[in-house]
């Protein structure tokens, strides 16, 4: 990906990715009356609508289902939105690719980082809601408050994991989509399926025992479980989950980076 | 007063083949017809060296491999076999308007486009005022790009590229931009560039321009370099192509 590993080229690479990310964020809210206010408004509306639907029409026996739903839905939405948007992105940006030599991965990463920015804001709003919820219902002494803070801070490694996994899939799929435009259709079909194969709207323990191991091979499972634990103190199913998830994520990361590296040289030939 | 000239670009046995596809392959087709792909050789076994400061005119009929040759040097695509070594920063003026975001303002586009063609952030900040001044779009600079006329966009693109200060400059048919007055200004600027020690590769069918500005000419035909030398190469080519 880097042509030469010197300080100047790394700085330029970072600046370029940042500039592309800024572009992604800025262009999204151009020509809207409310402008950047949508960054806050969008997740709030989403929470209200989906929370309302699931609260009343899908009675699942989980305490505070509304909170449970959002703890999983926020990271899932980041994942699925980033992948479905980045898969065709190299094809869409063909004029850039044909114009100059620049690090091609910046196109993919800018989409992921701009989505991550929006995801962080939604998450922050959610944590504020959780905090007030905890003040009224959970905190009995100062230790409870301390534990809450520790759990929220433990989100950081999960955020990193989620972002790396999303990047791996995005790099892999966007690179292949240049040669095989079928990939985009496959992604659109598989993502909704994948959603139900991830414990976002249910917990793993409502599943029959024989089905559970299948979920362990979904690298999104440990991440969502991690969010459930960090945000809501729901204990994960078992610790194998983290180990399998970790190794499969490392595998996908290597696969994503190498595929993109090999394919990016030939992007221009196929566009 | 003899000094050895540094090598700017060196190609050795560079071949570029494209897979000829009448339809984009799908998964199924790819598995069923794996060996049936037609190949098209755009360039075959090109070996050539350009020294620093050389001004090279690239001539030949359409489809001879000129653009592929320039794309390979610019690093936009890689050779199927062979090696390319380049020394110094390369900027190509292949498509001046590519990469502009219609919804962003002129200012925002300057930053993005300049970083895209390889300028550092610091350099853009230094050059920012000059880029705007040269492009002559003063009052429009904070308006979104879709409000710009075609000429304004070209001028902005040209201005960014010209301020990128490359060691190796690649011009592909994009020598003319904007209205008459700007074309003159741009032409002067390009001529000034030709006076510096930059390595410049131009591909154009505009013979007069080449005649005035280049010292070395390379003639392509069917993916091969068939002639390489002084102005005589250009004269021979224009004589032959006029018949």
């Amino acid at each position: 990906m880097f042509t030469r590993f010197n300080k100047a080229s790394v700085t330029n690479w970072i600046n370029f990715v940042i500039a592309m990310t800024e572009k992604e964020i800025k262009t999204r809210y151009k020509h809207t009356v409310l402008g950047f206010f949508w960054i806050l408004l969008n997740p709030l509306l989403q929470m209200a609508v989906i929370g309302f639907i699931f609260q009343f029409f899908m009675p699942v026996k989980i305490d505070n289902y509304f909170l449970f739903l959002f703890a999983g839905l926020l990271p899932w939405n980041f994942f699925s939105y980033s992948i479905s948007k980045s898969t065709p992105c190299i094809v869409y940006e063909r004029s850039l690719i044909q114009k100059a030599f620049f690090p091609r991965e910046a196109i993919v990463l800018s989409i992921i980082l701009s989505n991550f920015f929006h995801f962080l804001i939604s998450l922050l709003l959610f944590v504020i809601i959780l905090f007030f919820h905890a003040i009224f219902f959970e905190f009995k002494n100062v230790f409870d408050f301390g534990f809450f803070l520790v759990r929220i801070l433990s989100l950081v490694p999960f955020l990193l994991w989620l972002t790396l996994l999303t990047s791996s899939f995005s790099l892999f799929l966007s690179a292949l989509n240049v040669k095989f435009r079928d990939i985009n259709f496959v992604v659109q079909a598989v993502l909704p399926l994948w959603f139900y194969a991830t414990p976002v709207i249910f917990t793993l323990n409502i599943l029959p025992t024989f089905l559970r191991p299948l979920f362990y091979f979904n690298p999104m499972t440990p991440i969502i479980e991690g969010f459930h634990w960090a945000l809501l103190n729901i204990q994960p199913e078992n610790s194998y989950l983290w180990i399998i998830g970790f190794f499969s994520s490392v595998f996908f990361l290597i696969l994503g980076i190498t595929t993109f590296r090999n394919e990016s040289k030939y992007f221009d030939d196929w566009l | 007063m003899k000094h050895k000239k540094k090598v700017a670009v060196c190609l050795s046995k560079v071949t570029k083949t494209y897979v000829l596809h009448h339809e984009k392959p799908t998964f199924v087709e790819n598995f069923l017809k794996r060996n049936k792909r037609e190949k098209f050789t755009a360039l075959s076994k090109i070996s050539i060296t350009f020294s620093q400061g050389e001004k090279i005119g690239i001539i030949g009929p359409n489809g001879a491999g000129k653009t592929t040759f320039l794309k390979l040097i610019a690093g936009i695509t890689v050779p199927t076999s062979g090696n390319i070594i380049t020394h110094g920063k390369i900027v190509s003026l292949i498509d001046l308007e590519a990469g502009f975001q219609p919804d962003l303002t002129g200012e925002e586009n300057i930053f993005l486009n300049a970083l895209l063609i390889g300028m550092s952030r610091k350099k853009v900040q230094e050059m920012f005022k000059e880029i705007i001044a040269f492009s002559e779009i003063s009052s429009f600079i904070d308006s979104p790009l879709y409000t710009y006329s075609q000429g304004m966009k070209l001028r902005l693109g040209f201005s960014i590229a010209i301020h990128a200060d490359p060691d190796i400059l690649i011009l592909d048919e994009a020598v003319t931009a904007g209205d008459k007055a700007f074309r003159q200004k741009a032409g002067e600027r390009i001529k000034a560039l030709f006076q510096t020690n930059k390595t410049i590769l131009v591909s154009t069918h505009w013979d007069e321009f080449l005649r005035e500005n280049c010292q070395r000419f390379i003639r392509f035909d069917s993916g091969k370099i068939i002639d390489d030398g002084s102005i005589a190469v250009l004269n021979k080519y224009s004589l032959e192509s006029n018949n």
Side-chain angles (χ1 to χ4, degrees):
Chain A
M1 291 191 179
F2 302 106
T3 42
R4 280 176 219 99
F5 279 97
N6 61 47
K7 207 180 150 201
S9 73
V10 174
T11 324
N12 281 352
W13 186 87
I14 292 171
N15 282 336
F16 184 58
V17 173
I18 292 173
M20 290 286 282
T21 309
E22 265 177 47
K23 172 214 110 185
E24 279 293 317
I25 295 171
K26 277 180 188 161
T27 45
R28 194 179 299 189
Y29 299 103
K30 282 279 152 100
H31 314 302
T32 52
V33 179
L34 296 177
F36 287 110
F37 188 58
W38 276 111
I39 296 176
L40 290 175
L41 201 60
N42 215 11
L44 285 175
L45 279 175
Q46 208 189 10
M47 277 192 201
V49 172
I50 298 178
F52 177 80
I53 291 170
F54 280 91
Q55 192 85 16
F56 294 104
F57 298 105
M58 270 193 65
V60 183
K61 287 195 180 83
I62 299 171
D63 295 336
N64 294 317
Y65 188 64
F66 177 83
L67 297 180
F68 173 82
L69 191 65
F70 270 94
L73 208 54
L74 288 177
W76 173 265
N77 279 350
F78 162 68
F79 177 75
S80 100
Y81 192 48
S82 296
I83 286 187
S84 64
K85 216 182 156 202
S86 61
T87 301
C89 72
I90 302 288
V91 179
Y92 289 164
E93 299 284 11
R94 50 155 55 108
S95 70
L96 288 189
I97 302 233
Q98 286 163 346
K99 182 193 170 87
F101 173 73
F102 61 92
R104 269 66 166 119
E105 65 274 12
I107 296 175
V108 179
L109 295 182
S110 68
I111 291 173
I112 291 167
L113 289 178
S114 79
N115 281 340
F116 187 72
F117 169 75
H118 289 96
F119 166 51
L120 269 190
I121 288 170
S122 312
L123 195 64
L124 192 73
L125 288 176
F126 185 64
V127 168
I128 293 169
I129 293 172
L130 274 185
F131 179 70
F132 282 108
H133 182 266
I135 284 182
F136 289 116
F137 299 108
E138 282 167 24
F139 291 169
K140 292 180 185 72
N141 53 47
V142 74
F143 293 110
D144 287 349
F145 177 66
F147 184 55
F148 178 81
L149 278 185
V150 169
R151 275 195 288 117
I152 297 299
L153 282 179
S154 70
L155 267 181
V156 175
F158 288 111
L159 285 171
L160 190 71
W161 187 354
L162 175 65
T163 312
L164 284 176
L165 187 73
T166 311
S167 309
S168 325
F169 280 111
S170 300
L171 287 171
F172 180 72
L173 295 167
S174 63
L176 284 189
N177 189 58
V178 175
K179 268 190 203 169
F180 308 107
R181 309 280 161 98
D182 319 51
I183 297 282
N184 196 27
F185 296 106
V186 176
V187 166
Q188 300 307 328
V190 166
L191 276 175
L193 210 72
W194 199 344
F195 175 70
Y196 292 105
T198 309
V200 176
I201 54 171
F202 53 85
T203 55
L204 281 180
N205 57 28
I206 66 159
L207 294 171
T209 338
F210 71 95
L211 261 181
R212 282 182 217 175
L214 285 178
F215 280 75
Y216 296 173
F217 289 96
N218 172 4
M220 275 305 278
T221 306
I223 294 175
I224 299 293
E225 293 284 280
F227 273 84
H228 282 154
W229 175 75
L231 291 168
L232 303 169
N233 200 14
I234 298 170
Q235 292 303 319
E237 269 284 291
N238 68 46
S239 47
Y240 288 124
L241 199 62
W242 313 95
I243 298 161
I244 298 170
F246 177 77
F247 283 109
S248 69
S249 300
V250 171
F251 167 76
F252 286 121
L253 185 65
I254 295 167
L255 182 75
I257 291 175
T258 49
T259 310
F260 196 88
R261 256 181 118 161
N262 293 335
E263 290 297 318
S264 62
K265 295 180 219 155
Y266 304 105
F267 282 168
D268 179 66
D269 303 358
W270 293 85
L271 293 171
Chain B
M1 227 189 83
K2 198 179 164 189
H3 63 276
K4 212 179 169 191
K5 279 196 170 175
K6 279 191 211 154
V7 173
V9 181
C10 178
L11 284 83
S12 55
K13 288 185 182 165
V14 169
T15 299
K16 178 76 187 173
T17 52
Y18 286 98
V19 176
L20 207 61
H21 32 87
H22 309 288
E23 283 265 281
K24 288 276 173 210
T26 59
F27 266 137
V28 181
E29 267 181 81
N30 190 41
F31 288 123
L32 294 178
K33 304 184 191 170
R34 176 147 276 187
N35 301 317
K36 287 185 185 170
R37 285 188 182 170
E38 286 176 69
K39 290 264 169 74
F40 170 74
T41 308
L43 288 177
S44 74
K45 291 191 178 158
I46 304 283
S47 296
I48 198 163
T49 306
F50 302 128
S51 334
Q52 202 178 41
E54 267 192 298
K55 315 287 181 274
I56 305 114
I58 293 162
I59 49 178
N62 287 333
K66 301 189 301 275
T67 303
T68 309
F69 180 70
L70 293 178
K71 271 187 172 176
L72 284 168
I73 293 174
I76 295 170
T77 186
V78 294
T80 316
S81 67
N83 276 315
I84 299 174
I85 300 161
T86 56
H87 297 282
K89 199 172 87 173
I90 305 173
V91 168
S92 55
L93 270 75
I94 290 178
D95 190 350
L96 288 173
E97 286 173 71
F100 279 149
Q101 299 290 323
D103 285 331
L104 295 182
T105 67
E107 280 171 334
E108 290 165 332
N109 267 301
I110 290 176
F111 256 97
L112 198 64
N113 216 273
L115 290 179
L116 188 81
I117 61 172
M119 280 171 95
S120 69
R121 207 178 175 84
K122 216 179 120 198
K123 184 95 186 168
V124 191
Q125 274 155 352
E126 282 170 24
M127 290 289 180
F128 198 61
K129 285 210 174 97
E130 243 177 275
I131 294 174
I132 297 171
F134 189 81
S135 63
E136 297 173 355
I137 39 171
S138 46
S139 63
F140 269 85
I141 202 65
D142 51 359
S143 320
L145 220 73
Y146 71 84
T147 61
Y148 284 37
S149 72
Q150 205 62 23
M152 288 161 91
K153 279 188 257 179
L154 271 173
R155 261 144 52 195
L156 190 63
F158 182 83
S159 183
I160 296 167
I162 221 76
H163 285 89
D165 192 30
D167 303 309
I168 302 166
L169 183 69
I170 295 174
L171 302 162
D172 188 8
E173 311 281 358
V175 195
T176 52
D179 59 16
K180 213 171 178 181
F182 189 80
R183 204 153 61 220
Q184 203 172 2
K185 194 174 159 186
E188 276 165 24
R189 191 63 187 246
I190 287 182
K191 278 198 185 123
L193 274 176
F194 274 91
Q195 304 307 314
T196 61
N197 195 31
K198 293 177 196 308
T199 312
I200 304 179
L201 290 124
V202 204
S203 158
T204 178
H205 295 287
W206 183 11
D207 286 358
E208 298 312 307
F209 183 85
L210 292 174
R211 206 177 294 275
E212 273 175 45
N213 294 298
C214 298
Q215 291 96 48
R216 184 176 173 186
F217 299 89
I218 293 170
R219 183 172 163 192
F220 274 88
D221 207 339
S222 322
K224 288 195 176 82
I225 295 178
I226 57 164
D227 220 348
D228 177 2
S230 65
I231 192 103
V233 175
L234 179 67
N235 291 334
K236 198 177 160 211
Y237 173 66
S238 40
L239 210 78
E240 280 173 28
S241 54
N242 281 337
N243 290 335

